[in-house]
Amino acid sequence: MEALPKALEVDEKSPESKDLLPSQTASSLCISSRSESVWTEAPRSNWEIYRKPIIIMSVGGAILLFGVAITCLAYTLTLSIMSLKVLKMIGPAFLSLGLMMMVCGLVWVPIIKKKQKQRQKSMFFQSIRSFFLNR
């Protein structure tokens, strides 16, 4: 076994010693590069899968409606000049922010669907590979 430099020598009892020691085999490197939970994970419900895009779209819709309300108030109410300027700047800003969040959520859904299909294909090919290798 190759001797470690003095700078890398660490007490064997410390938790840092495990991080600093080099890996001995290529298979341990492959195992550490992938998360085990990805391959042994139980099927998730639709809510767990699409929770984040739904929340992003809902918040984006709320911000969009708030921007619509502020913009409508800015053009229908008779307020002081300073208040009108502020409302006319803030209203469209909320409109654009809400629309951007809604679009991000809407685009996120097809990305998740594509990843789910790839994961199913990957698990299928992995099962075929293990079938032929275990003969």
Side-chain angles (χ1 to χ4, degrees), residues 12-33:
E12 289 294 321
K13 296 176 184 172
S14 69
E16 294 87 14
S17 65
K18 294 178 183 175
D19 295 337
L20 293 176
L21 292 175
S23 176
Q24 298 300 322
T25 62
S27 63
S28 64
L29 180 64
C30 291
I31 290 171
S32 65
S33 68

Side-chain angles (χ1 to χ4, degrees), residues 49-109:
I49 295 170
Y50 296 109
R51 174 184 75 221
K52 291 178 185 176
I54 289 172
I55 291 171
I56 292 291
M57 285 187 289
S58 301
V59 170
I63 293 173
L64 181 75
L65 291 176
F66 183 69
V68 168
I70 288 178
T71 305
C72 289
L73 289 176
Y75 287 102
T76 57
L77 293 178
T78 54
L79 299 172
S80 66
I81 295 173
M82 187 63 168
S83 297
L84 280 177
K85 284 184 179 180
V86 169
L87 286 178
K88 286 182 179 180
M89 284 191 307
I90 291 177
F94 278 111
L95 277 169
S96 63
L97 182 65
L99 186 62
M100 181 178 61
M101 287 182 72
M102 281 185 63
V103 168
C104 286
L106 287 172
V107 168
W108 201 349
V109 171

Side-chain angles (χ1 to χ4, degrees), residues 111-126:
I111 292 171
I112 290 175
K113 285 183 180 179
K114 186 176 180 181
K115 284 177 75 174
Q116 292 287 38
K117 285 182 183 178
Q118 285 177 348
R119 182 174 290 152
Q120 288 173 353
K121 287 179 185 176
S122 170
M123 293 183 84
F124 173 72
F125 289 129
Q126 185 179 11

